[in-house]
Amino acid sequence: NASAGATDAVRRKRERKNIDEIHRKHIEKAMSFLPRPAKTLFDMGCGAGTTLIEARKLGMQAEGNEINKASVDLLISEGFKAYHGFTQELDLPKSAYDIVINFDYLEHSYTPLEDLKTCHGMLAPGGVLYLKTLYLGCPAHQEKGINWQLFGPGHFHFFTPPVLTRLIEEAGFKVLDVKTGQLIFVAAQKAA
């Protein structure tokens, strides 16, 4: 049944090796760009909630949204504020968060610029967006060409660093840092 499959997906994601340490390091990296101590974090497309769990351990109020209802129900039962649905369908708080995490989300979006504008609106002045998405032109894509495993269902957008940074700037952010490898990582800030 669909519900059992969704619950199983959450369990598998939470059991990934070193996931807590990986997500804690990502949060700490985002915090390093913030000009003040981080008190609030929102994870757009929070999946199994592993980033929220680590943010809470770091003393933050952590919230997120997700389309997997089983994940949202579990997070709510664990005391998190979690929203069920696509970002554009939700009435999310404005100017409320020090950090917005947007990992593995933008490539699934039908409207990436609108989603980035939503991130901007959710951040408090001086807040930081920390984003990770697919890198068109990464070493794996260059090696495999049209057979790259990330071409496929559910991935609607692929980015190069110049295109992604322009899009983030168009959404109102100042880009602070761009790192590339197999993926693109960007830290950007809302004006104080």
Side-chain angles (χ1 to χ4, degrees):
N1 89 30
S3 180
T7 301
D8 190 49
V10 172
R11 182 191 52 75
R12 280 194 320 275
K13 286 181 177 184
R14 285 198 173 184
E15 292 174 354
R16 289 173 292 178
K17 185 177 177 169
N18 300 328
I19 197 65
D20 51 351
E21 180 183 343
I22 291 165
H23 284 182
R24 185 175 55 255
K25 284 182 179 177
H26 285 311
I27 295 165
E28 289 170 346
K29 181 70 173 176
M31 290 167 61
S32 75
F33 294 103
L34 193 67
R36 60 182 177 267
K39 296 179 183 170
T40 54
L41 176 143
F42 190 93
D43 187 6
M44 190 174 280
C46 63
T50 48
T51 297
L52 301 182
I53 292 166
E54 291 308 306
R56 180 187 273 172
K57 288 179 188 175
L58 290 168
M60 284 182 252
Q61 174 189 323
E63 303 176 11
N65 75 299
E66 177 55 35
I67 60 169
N68 179 340
K69 182 81 165 74
S71 178
V72 171
D73 291 345
L74 177 61
L75 289 165
I76 290 170
S77 77
E78 293 172 338
F80 290 100
K81 190 173 212 179
Y83 302 84
H84 179 243
F86 293 100
T87 306
Q88 294 303 315
E89 300 170 346
L90 300 171
D91 184 22
L92 297 169
K94 304 286 186 250
S95 302
Y97 304 98
D98 294 313
I99 296 171
V100 170
I101 300 289
N102 186 304
F103 273 22
D104 307 315
Y105 184 95
L106 218 52
E107 63 269 24
H108 299 286
S109 172
Y110 293 120
T111 56
L113 178 58
E114 292 308 311
D115 284 320
L116 289 168
K117 287 178 179 178
T118 298
C119 292
H120 188 273
M122 293 169 65
L123 281 166
V128 169
L129 167 68
Y130 196 47
L131 183 144
K132 172 179 68 150
T133 192
L134 300 180
Y135 175 16
L136 191 64
C138 72
H141 173 234
Q142 290 179 14
E143 177 188 327
K144 296 176 182 170
I146 62 168
N147 296 316
W148 186 33
Q149 69 273 17
L150 294 175
F151 287 139
H155 290 165
F156 306 114
H157 295 278
F158 299 84
F159 301 93
T160 60
V163 168
L164 183 59
T165 55
R166 256 194 326 272
L167 199 63
I168 292 168
E169 288 167 349
E170 191 175 331
F173 289 98
K174 177 183 178 185
V175 173
L176 302 176
D177 188 60
V178 179
K179 295 274 188 279
T180 58
Q182 293 296 348
L183 300 162
I184 304 173
F185 287 86
V186 179
Q189 188 170 36
K190 182 176 181 172

